[in-house]
mmCIF file of all heavy atoms in Angstrom:
data_model
loop_
_atom_site.group_PDB
_atom_site.id
_atom_site.type_symbol
_atom_site.label_atom_id
_atom_site.label_comp_id
_atom_site.label_asym_id
_atom_site.label_seq_id
_atom_site.Cartn_x
_atom_site.Cartn_y
_atom_site.Cartn_z
ATOM 1 N N VAL A 75 95.921 99.627 109.106
ATOM 2 C CA VAL A 75 94.425 99.919 109.042
ATOM 3 C C VAL A 75 94.460 101.470 108.643
ATOM 4 O O VAL A 75 93.273 101.994 108.083
ATOM 5 C CB VAL A 75 93.742 99.764 110.279
ATOM 6 C CG1 VAL A 75 93.693 98.294 110.589
ATOM 7 C CG2 VAL A 75 94.344 100.427 111.527
ATOM 8 N N GLY A 76 95.443 102.215 108.725
ATOM 9 C CA GLY A 76 95.343 103.699 108.477
ATOM 10 C C GLY A 76 96.720 104.180 108.082
ATOM 11 O O GLY A 76 97.713 103.785 108.466
ATOM 12 N N VAL A 77 96.656 105.127 107.039
ATOM 13 C CA VAL A 77 97.920 105.822 106.606
ATOM 14 C C VAL A 77 97.516 107.259 106.638
ATOM 15 O O VAL A 77 96.595 107.845 105.942
ATOM 16 C CB VAL A 77 98.265 105.435 105.171
ATOM 17 C CG1 VAL A 77 99.401 106.141 104.635
ATOM 18 C CG2 VAL A 77 98.446 103.860 105.002
ATOM 19 N N ASN A 78 98.276 108.060 107.279
ATOM 20 C CA ASN A 78 98.184 109.526 107.446
ATOM 21 C C ASN A 78 96.660 109.964 107.720
ATOM 22 O O ASN A 78 96.109 110.896 107.092
ATOM 23 C CB ASN A 78 98.604 110.244 106.291
ATOM 24 C CG ASN A 78 100.168 110.208 106.200
ATOM 25 O OD1 ASN A 78 100.847 110.219 107.095
ATOM 26 N ND2 ASN A 78 100.649 110.270 104.879
ATOM 27 N N GLY A 79 96.086 109.151 108.604
ATOM 28 C CA GLY A 79 94.639 109.489 108.880
ATOM 29 C C GLY A 79 93.562 108.910 108.064
ATOM 30 O O GLY A 79 92.290 109.161 108.278
ATOM 31 N N THR A 80 93.951 108.173 106.972
ATOM 32 C CA THR A 80 93.010 107.662 106.048
ATOM 33 C C THR A 80 92.766 106.161 106.440
ATOM 34 O O THR A 80 93.777 105.456 106.542
ATOM 35 C CB THR A 80 93.652 107.702 104.678
ATOM 36 O OG1 THR A 80 93.643 109.089 104.205
ATOM 37 C CG2 THR A 80 92.572 107.049 103.613
ATOM 38 N N ASN A 81 91.549 105.739 106.726
ATOM 39 C CA ASN A 81 91.365 104.358 107.001
ATOM 40 C C ASN A 81 91.371 103.529 105.688
ATOM 41 O O ASN A 81 90.342 103.636 104.980
ATOM 42 C CB ASN A 81 89.949 104.213 107.761
ATOM 43 C CG ASN A 81 89.731 102.818 108.212
ATOM 44 O OD1 ASN A 81 90.026 101.833 107.579
ATOM 45 N ND2 ASN A 81 89.197 102.735 109.518
ATOM 46 N N VAL A 82 92.359 102.848 105.421
ATOM 47 C CA VAL A 82 92.524 102.214 104.112
ATOM 48 C C VAL A 82 91.726 100.874 104.193
ATOM 49 O O VAL A 82 91.404 100.451 103.029
ATOM 50 C CB VAL A 82 94.042 101.849 103.914
ATOM 51 C CG1 VAL A 82 94.874 103.139 103.823
ATOM 52 C CG2 VAL A 82 94.568 100.946 105.090
ATOM 53 N N VAL A 83 91.279 100.334 105.198
ATOM 54 C CA VAL A 83 90.510 99.128 105.316
ATOM 55 C C VAL A 83 89.060 99.422 104.842
ATOM 56 O O VAL A 83 88.471 98.796 104.017
ATOM 57 C CB VAL A 83 90.624 98.378 106.689
ATOM 58 C CG1 VAL A 83 89.557 97.186 106.653
ATOM 59 C CG2 VAL A 83 91.903 98.078 106.920
ATOM 60 N N MET A 84 88.541 100.551 105.467
ATOM 61 C CA MET A 84 87.125 100.935 105.068
ATOM 62 C C MET A 84 87.006 101.449 103.625
ATOM 63 O O MET A 84 86.056 101.168 103.088
ATOM 64 C CB MET A 84 86.701 102.171 105.976
ATOM 65 C CG MET A 84 86.370 101.755 107.385
ATOM 66 S SD MET A 84 85.752 102.953 108.439
ATOM 67 C CE MET A 84 84.368 103.597 107.612
ATOM 68 N N LEU A 85 88.070 101.892 103.110
ATOM 69 C CA LEU A 85 88.040 102.337 101.794
ATOM 70 C C LEU A 85 88.389 101.165 100.805
ATOM 71 O O LEU A 85 88.142 101.307 99.540
ATOM 72 C CB LEU A 85 89.229 103.464 101.367
ATOM 73 C CG LEU A 85 88.826 104.709 102.096
ATOM 74 C CD1 LEU A 85 90.217 105.688 101.867
ATOM 75 C CD2 LEU A 85 87.585 105.426 101.590
ATOM 76 N N GLY A 86 88.724 100.014 101.407
ATOM 77 C CA GLY A 86 88.922 98.826 100.539
ATOM 78 C C GLY A 86 90.167 98.981 99.526
ATOM 79 O O GLY A 86 90.177 98.329 98.533
ATOM 80 N N LEU A 87 91.183 99.627 100.140
ATOM 81 C CA LEU A 87 92.207 99.907 99.215
ATOM 82 C C LEU A 87 93.146 98.600 99.100
ATOM 83 O O LEU A 87 93.131 97.749 100.071
ATOM 84 C CB LEU A 87 93.233 101.033 99.796
ATOM 85 C CG LEU A 87 92.556 102.378 99.821
ATOM 86 C CD1 LEU A 87 93.554 103.397 100.356
ATOM 87 C CD2 LEU A 87 91.982 102.842 98.594
ATOM 88 N N ASP A 88 93.803 98.300 97.947
ATOM 89 C CA ASP A 88 94.611 97.190 97.785
ATOM 90 C C ASP A 88 96.025 97.545 98.113
ATOM 91 O O ASP A 88 96.368 98.634 98.424
ATOM 92 C CB ASP A 88 94.448 96.539 96.470
ATOM 93 C CG ASP A 88 94.981 97.562 95.312
ATOM 94 O OD1 ASP A 88 95.748 98.436 95.588
ATOM 95 O OD2 ASP A 88 94.511 97.396 94.048
ATOM 96 N N CYS A 89 96.962 96.513 97.966
ATOM 97 C CA CYS A 89 98.390 96.736 98.494
ATOM 98 C C CYS A 89 99.065 97.855 97.559
ATOM 99 O O CYS A 89 99.811 98.629 98.211
ATOM 100 C CB CYS A 89 99.092 95.470 98.289
ATOM 101 S SG CYS A 89 98.615 94.188 99.459
ATOM 102 N N GLU A 90 98.814 97.899 96.365
ATOM 103 C CA GLU A 90 99.449 98.956 95.505
ATOM 104 C C GLU A 90 98.986 100.368 95.915
ATOM 105 O O GLU A 90 99.732 101.220 95.853
ATOM 106 C CB GLU A 90 99.111 98.717 94.040
ATOM 107 C CG GLU A 90 99.780 97.324 93.503
ATOM 108 C CD GLU A 90 99.404 97.182 92.054
ATOM 109 O OE1 GLU A 90 98.831 98.010 91.399
ATOM 110 O OE2 GLU A 90 99.901 96.025 91.607
ATOM 111 N N GLN A 91 97.758 100.401 96.200
ATOM 112 C CA GLN A 91 97.216 101.710 96.579
ATOM 113 C C GLN A 91 97.790 102.161 97.913
ATOM 114 O O GLN A 91 98.136 103.291 98.154
ATOM 115 C CB GLN A 91 95.685 101.771 96.634
ATOM 116 C CG GLN A 91 94.994 101.625 95.201
ATOM 117 C CD GLN A 91 93.477 101.183 95.337
ATOM 118 O OE1 GLN A 91 93.195 100.398 96.136
ATOM 119 N NE2 GLN A 91 92.809 101.803 94.335
ATOM 120 N N VAL A 92 97.838 101.318 98.899
ATOM 121 C CA VAL A 92 98.436 101.496 100.141
ATOM 122 C C VAL A 92 99.993 101.959 99.972
ATOM 123 O O VAL A 92 100.488 102.811 100.510
ATOM 124 C CB VAL A 92 98.192 100.524 101.126
ATOM 125 C CG1 VAL A 92 98.960 100.708 102.465
ATOM 126 C CG2 VAL A 92 96.678 100.269 101.446
ATOM 127 N N ALA A 93 100.631 101.090 99.016
ATOM 128 C CA ALA A 93 102.023 101.395 98.822
ATOM 129 C C ALA A 93 102.234 102.775 98.355
ATOM 130 O O ALA A 93 103.148 103.468 98.702
ATOM 131 C CB ALA A 93 102.690 100.402 97.839
ATOM 132 N N ALA A 94 101.305 103.313 97.404
ATOM 133 C CA ALA A 94 101.389 104.637 96.961
ATOM 134 C C ALA A 94 101.238 105.632 97.972
ATOM 135 O O ALA A 94 101.858 106.733 98.092
ATOM 136 C CB ALA A 94 100.403 104.900 95.839
ATOM 137 N N LEU A 95 100.288 105.379 99.086
ATOM 138 C CA LEU A 95 100.117 106.361 100.152
ATOM 139 C C LEU A 95 101.215 106.348 101.106
ATOM 140 O O LEU A 95 101.551 107.366 101.609
ATOM 141 C CB LEU A 95 98.815 105.933 100.907
ATOM 142 C CG LEU A 95 97.544 106.237 100.192
ATOM 143 C CD1 LEU A 95 96.340 105.485 101.183
ATOM 144 C CD2 LEU A 95 97.271 107.609 100.006
ATOM 145 N N VAL A 96 101.833 105.239 101.275
ATOM 146 C CA VAL A 96 103.014 105.114 102.276
ATOM 147 C C VAL A 96 104.267 105.816 101.496
ATOM 148 O O VAL A 96 105.109 106.304 102.193
ATOM 149 C CB VAL A 96 103.292 103.640 102.594
ATOM 150 C CG1 VAL A 96 104.468 103.510 103.410
ATOM 151 C CG2 VAL A 96 102.078 103.156 103.461
ATOM 152 N N SER A 97 104.443 105.544 100.234
ATOM 153 C CA SER A 97 105.625 106.182 99.593
ATOM 154 C C SER A 97 105.628 107.580 99.544
ATOM 155 O O SER A 97 104.513 108.249 99.533
ATOM 156 C CB SER A 97 105.735 105.570 98.180
ATOM 157 O OG SER A 97 105.799 104.214 98.140
ATOM 158 N N GLY A 98 106.812 108.184 99.525
ATOM 159 C CA GLY A 98 106.696 109.655 99.398
ATOM 160 C C GLY A 98 108.245 110.207 99.194
ATOM 161 O O GLY A 98 109.242 109.373 99.101
ATOM 162 N N VAL A 99 108.332 111.484 99.380
ATOM 163 C CA VAL A 99 109.649 112.019 99.166
ATOM 164 C C VAL A 99 110.733 111.684 100.315
ATOM 165 O O VAL A 99 110.338 111.666 101.533
ATOM 166 C CB VAL A 99 109.439 113.618 99.051
ATOM 167 C CG1 VAL A 99 110.862 114.283 98.954
ATOM 168 C CG2 VAL A 99 108.548 114.032 97.919
ATOM 169 N N LEU A 100 111.898 111.347 99.872
ATOM 170 C CA LEU A 100 112.924 110.961 100.818
ATOM 171 C C LEU A 100 112.996 111.961 102.031
ATOM 172 O O LEU A 100 113.033 113.141 101.664
ATOM 173 C CB LEU A 100 114.233 110.973 100.102
ATOM 174 C CG LEU A 100 115.496 110.765 100.853
ATOM 175 C CD1 LEU A 100 115.519 109.374 101.592
ATOM 176 C CD2 LEU A 100 116.800 110.927 100.055
ATOM 177 N N GLY A 101 112.972 111.349 103.222
ATOM 178 C CA GLY A 101 113.058 112.194 104.444
ATOM 179 C C GLY A 101 111.947 112.673 105.076
ATOM 180 O O GLY A 101 111.838 113.110 106.191
ATOM 181 N N SER A 102 110.767 112.569 104.159
ATOM 182 C CA SER A 102 109.394 112.860 104.733
ATOM 183 C C SER A 102 108.973 111.770 105.714
ATOM 184 O O SER A 102 109.597 110.753 105.705
ATOM 185 C CB SER A 102 108.439 113.235 103.650
ATOM 186 O OG SER A 102 108.140 112.089 102.833
ATOM 187 N N THR A 103 107.801 111.929 106.405
ATOM 188 C CA THR A 103 107.450 110.923 107.297
ATOM 189 C C THR A 103 105.945 110.518 106.838
ATOM 190 O O THR A 103 105.254 111.076 106.231
ATOM 191 C CB THR A 103 107.353 111.308 108.649
ATOM 192 O OG1 THR A 103 106.590 112.496 108.843
ATOM 193 C CG2 THR A 103 108.821 111.566 109.101
ATOM 194 N N VAL A 104 105.623 109.307 107.308
ATOM 195 C CA VAL A 104 104.176 108.746 107.043
ATOM 196 C C VAL A 104 103.757 108.252 108.442
ATOM 197 O O VAL A 104 104.466 107.676 109.251
ATOM 198 C CB VAL A 104 104.103 107.745 105.955
ATOM 199 C CG1 VAL A 104 105.073 106.481 106.445
ATOM 200 C CG2 VAL A 104 102.758 107.325 105.656
ATOM 201 N N ARG A 105 102.497 108.602 108.819
ATOM 202 C CA ARG A 105 101.807 108.122 110.129
ATOM 203 C C ARG A 105 101.012 106.849 109.794
ATOM 204 O O ARG A 105 100.144 106.884 108.759
ATOM 205 C CB ARG A 105 100.890 109.209 110.668
ATOM 206 C CG ARG A 105 101.652 110.344 111.104
ATOM 207 C CD ARG A 105 100.744 111.367 111.908
ATOM 208 N NE ARG A 105 99.311 111.385 111.350
ATOM 209 C CZ ARG A 105 98.973 112.303 110.302
ATOM 210 N NH1 ARG A 105 99.778 113.224 109.828
ATOM 211 N NH2 ARG A 105 97.765 112.256 109.867
ATOM 212 N N LEU A 106 101.324 105.714 110.474
ATOM 213 C CA LEU A 106 100.655 104.492 110.157
ATOM 214 C C LEU A 106 99.815 104.117 111.492
ATOM 215 O O LEU A 106 100.319 104.279 112.565
ATOM 216 C CB LEU A 106 101.541 103.317 110.006
ATOM 217 C CG LEU A 106 102.468 103.558 108.710
ATOM 218 C CD1 LEU A 106 103.334 102.368 108.535
ATOM 219 C CD2 LEU A 106 101.584 103.691 107.491
ATOM 220 N N GLU A 107 98.616 103.703 111.157
ATOM 221 C CA GLU A 107 97.814 103.075 112.317
ATOM 222 C C GLU A 107 97.813 101.600 112.039
ATOM 223 O O GLU A 107 97.525 101.208 110.928
ATOM 224 C CB GLU A 107 96.356 103.672 112.401
ATOM 225 C CG GLU A 107 96.322 105.094 112.724
ATOM 226 C CD GLU A 107 96.119 105.972 111.478
ATOM 227 O OE1 GLU A 107 95.289 105.641 110.620
ATOM 228 O OE2 GLU A 107 96.855 106.982 111.314
ATOM 229 N N LEU A 108 98.317 100.835 112.932
ATOM 230 C CA LEU A 108 98.401 99.343 112.823
ATOM 231 C C LEU A 108 97.688 98.714 113.951
ATOM 232 O O LEU A 108 97.357 99.134 114.995
ATOM 233 C CB LEU A 108 99.973 99.032 112.888
ATOM 234 C CG LEU A 108 100.946 99.675 112.066
ATOM 235 C CD1 LEU A 108 102.378 99.527 112.652
ATOM 236 C CD2 LEU A 108 100.892 99.133 110.654
ATOM 237 N N VAL A 109 97.401 97.417 113.681
ATOM 238 C CA VAL A 109 96.926 96.571 114.669
ATOM 239 C C VAL A 109 97.956 95.383 114.767
ATOM 240 O O VAL A 109 98.261 94.728 113.723
ATOM 241 C CB VAL A 109 95.534 95.938 114.499
ATOM 242 C CG1 VAL A 109 95.145 94.861 115.466
ATOM 243 C CG2 VAL A 109 94.516 97.023 114.258
ATOM 244 N N ASP A 110 98.661 95.263 115.913
ATOM 245 C CA ASP A 110 99.676 94.270 115.901
ATOM 246 C C ASP A 110 99.110 92.792 116.159
ATOM 247 O O ASP A 110 97.892 92.686 116.224
ATOM 248 C CB ASP A 110 100.679 94.463 117.118
ATOM 249 C CG ASP A 110 100.138 94.372 118.442
ATOM 250 O OD1 ASP A 110 99.135 93.857 118.632
ATOM 251 O OD2 ASP A 110 100.936 94.918 119.457
ATOM 252 N N THR A 111 100.041 91.882 116.212
ATOM 253 C CA THR A 111 99.632 90.501 116.209
ATOM 254 C C THR A 111 98.859 90.027 117.499
ATOM 255 O O THR A 111 98.134 89.017 117.486
ATOM 256 C CB THR A 111 100.842 89.568 116.065
ATOM 257 O OG1 THR A 111 101.796 89.843 116.995
ATOM 258 C CG2 THR A 111 101.436 89.621 114.642
ATOM 259 N N GLU A 112 99.025 90.914 118.459
ATOM 260 C CA GLU A 112 98.220 90.703 119.789
ATOM 261 C C GLU A 112 96.929 91.505 119.943
ATOM 262 O O GLU A 112 96.291 91.489 120.825
ATOM 263 C CB GLU A 112 99.124 91.011 120.959
ATOM 264 C CG GLU A 112 100.338 90.125 120.995
ATOM 265 C CD GLU A 112 101.276 90.419 122.176
ATOM 266 O OE1 GLU A 112 100.904 91.093 122.963
ATOM 267 O OE2 GLU A 112 102.346 89.938 122.122
ATOM 268 N N GLY A 113 96.542 92.196 118.807
ATOM 269 C CA GLY A 113 95.260 92.907 118.749
ATOM 270 C C GLY A 113 95.362 94.305 119.229
ATOM 271 O O GLY A 113 94.331 94.933 119.343
ATOM 272 N N ARG A 114 96.583 94.817 119.567
ATOM 273 C CA ARG A 114 96.725 96.272 120.150
ATOM 274 C C ARG A 114 96.770 97.162 118.978
ATOM 275 O O ARG A 114 97.479 96.958 117.836
ATOM 276 C CB ARG A 114 97.869 96.326 120.990
ATOM 277 C CG ARG A 114 97.834 95.485 122.304
ATOM 278 C CD ARG A 114 99.175 95.673 123.011
ATOM 279 N NE ARG A 114 100.301 95.163 122.246
ATOM 280 C CZ ARG A 114 101.314 94.507 122.674
ATOM 281 N NH1 ARG A 114 101.368 94.324 124.006
ATOM 282 N NH2 ARG A 114 102.262 94.175 121.750
ATOM 283 N N ASP A 115 96.059 98.326 119.223
ATOM 284 C CA ASP A 115 96.389 99.404 118.259
ATOM 285 C C ASP A 115 97.616 100.074 118.434
ATOM 286 O O ASP A 115 98.063 100.390 119.566
ATOM 287 C CB ASP A 115 95.155 100.475 118.483
ATOM 288 C CG ASP A 115 93.877 100.046 118.083
ATOM 289 O OD1 ASP A 115 93.740 99.155 117.290
ATOM 290 O OD2 ASP A 115 92.827 100.565 118.673
ATOM 291 N N VAL A 116 98.326 100.315 117.381
ATOM 292 C CA VAL A 116 99.733 100.915 117.481
ATOM 293 C C VAL A 116 99.757 102.092 116.350
ATOM 294 O O VAL A 116 99.274 102.049 115.305
ATOM 295 C CB VAL A 116 100.814 99.969 116.965
ATOM 296 C CG1 VAL A 116 102.193 100.574 117.041
ATOM 297 C CG2 VAL A 116 100.791 98.664 117.989
ATOM 298 N N HIS A 117 100.219 103.229 116.831
ATOM 299 C CA HIS A 117 100.426 104.341 116.088
ATOM 300 C C HIS A 117 101.945 104.741 115.912
ATOM 301 O O HIS A 117 102.507 104.939 117.001
ATOM 302 C CB HIS A 117 99.606 105.560 116.499
ATOM 303 C CG HIS A 117 98.136 105.373 116.617
ATOM 304 N ND1 HIS A 117 97.305 105.675 115.693
ATOM 305 C CD2 HIS A 117 97.372 104.776 117.602
ATOM 306 C CE1 HIS A 117 95.993 105.337 115.965
ATOM 307 N NE2 HIS A 117 96.099 104.693 117.180
ATOM 308 N N VAL A 118 102.332 104.781 114.705
ATOM 309 C CA VAL A 118 103.846 105.087 114.510
ATOM 310 C C VAL A 118 103.988 106.192 113.462
ATOM 311 O O VAL A 118 103.257 106.229 112.427
ATOM 312 C CB VAL A 118 104.644 103.772 114.173
ATOM 313 C CG1 VAL A 118 104.706 102.843 115.381
ATOM 314 C CG2 VAL A 118 104.169 103.128 112.914
ATOM 315 N N THR A 119 104.970 106.912 113.543
ATOM 316 C CA THR A 119 105.360 107.848 112.451
ATOM 317 C C THR A 119 106.867 107.338 111.919
ATOM 318 O O THR A 119 107.823 107.165 112.827
ATOM 319 C CB THR A 119 105.625 109.252 112.959
ATOM 320 O OG1 THR A 119 104.269 109.649 113.494
ATOM 321 C CG2 THR A 119 105.964 110.144 111.833
ATOM 322 N N VAL A 120 106.719 107.027 110.652
ATOM 323 C CA VAL A 120 108.003 106.412 110.096
ATOM 324 C C VAL A 120 108.545 107.235 108.910
ATOM 325 O O VAL A 120 107.769 107.721 108.135
ATOM 326 C CB VAL A 120 107.616 104.929 109.480
ATOM 327 C CG1 VAL A 120 108.803 104.246 109.006
ATOM 328 C CG2 VAL A 120 106.844 104.187 110.511
#
Side-chain angles (χ1 to χ4, degrees):
V75 295
V77 178
N78 289 330
T80 301
N81 188 318
V82 297
V83 175
M84 285 183 58
L85 292 176
L87 300 184
D88 62 26
C89 293
E90 290 176 10
Q91 293 167 317
V92 172
L95 289 175
V96 170
S97 299
V99 177
L100 173 66
S102 63
T103 59
V104 61
R105 290 184 328 269
L106 298 177
E107 294 100 46
L108 308 161
V109 176
D110 70 13
T111 55
E112 295 178 12
R114 295 178 298 215
D115 292 334
V116 178
H117 298 266
V118 294
T119 299
V120 186

